[in-house]
């Protein structure tokens, strides 16, 4: 039980970094901001479908949280990477 609480707390804290990085990208606007906004919505839908499939397939809430943390980690890496001159 404590592991689930810890994983949930970590997900909440780690997600804040993605929110920060996305808000900056959205605030800058332009094509990169538009692409990020579309990506953000499609990722949310995909993650919800994936979580539903995991739970319906007998997976645990902890497995869903662990997978969300992977998505968050990948987004932090992607959003933290230096951008190329054309904004992508």
């Amino acid at each position: 039980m404590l592991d689930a609480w810890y994983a949930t707390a970590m997900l909440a804290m780690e997600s804040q970094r993605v929110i920060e990085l996305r808000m900056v990208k959205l605030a800058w606007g332009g094509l990169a901001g538009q692409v990020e906004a579309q990506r953000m919505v499609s990722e949310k839908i995909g993650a919800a479908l994936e979580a539903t499939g995991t739970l319906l397939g007998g997976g645990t809430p902890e497995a869903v949280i662990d997978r969300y943390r992977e998505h968050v980690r990948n987004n932090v890496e992607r959003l933290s990477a230096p951008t190329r001159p054309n904004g992508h």
Side-chain angles (χ1 to χ4, degrees), residues 22 43 51 63-64 76-77:
R22 280 191 161 149
E43 283 180 357
V64 172
V76 168
E77 289 176 14

Side-chain angles (χ1 to χ4, degrees), residues 17-63:
R17 181 68 177 147
V18 174
I19 293 167
E20 173 193 358
L21 292 166
R22 280 191 161 149
M23 292 303 295
V24 168
K25 187 162 262 195
L26 294 172
W28 278 103
L31 180 59
Q34 290 174 357
V35 168
E36 190 59 36
Q38 292 171 346
R39 182 177 191 143
M40 180 174 59
V41 172
S42 66
E43 283 180 357
K44 301 285 184 212
I45 294 168
L49 291 172
E50 182 180 349
T52 301
T54 298
L55 295 172
L56 289 175
T60 64
E62 290 84 2

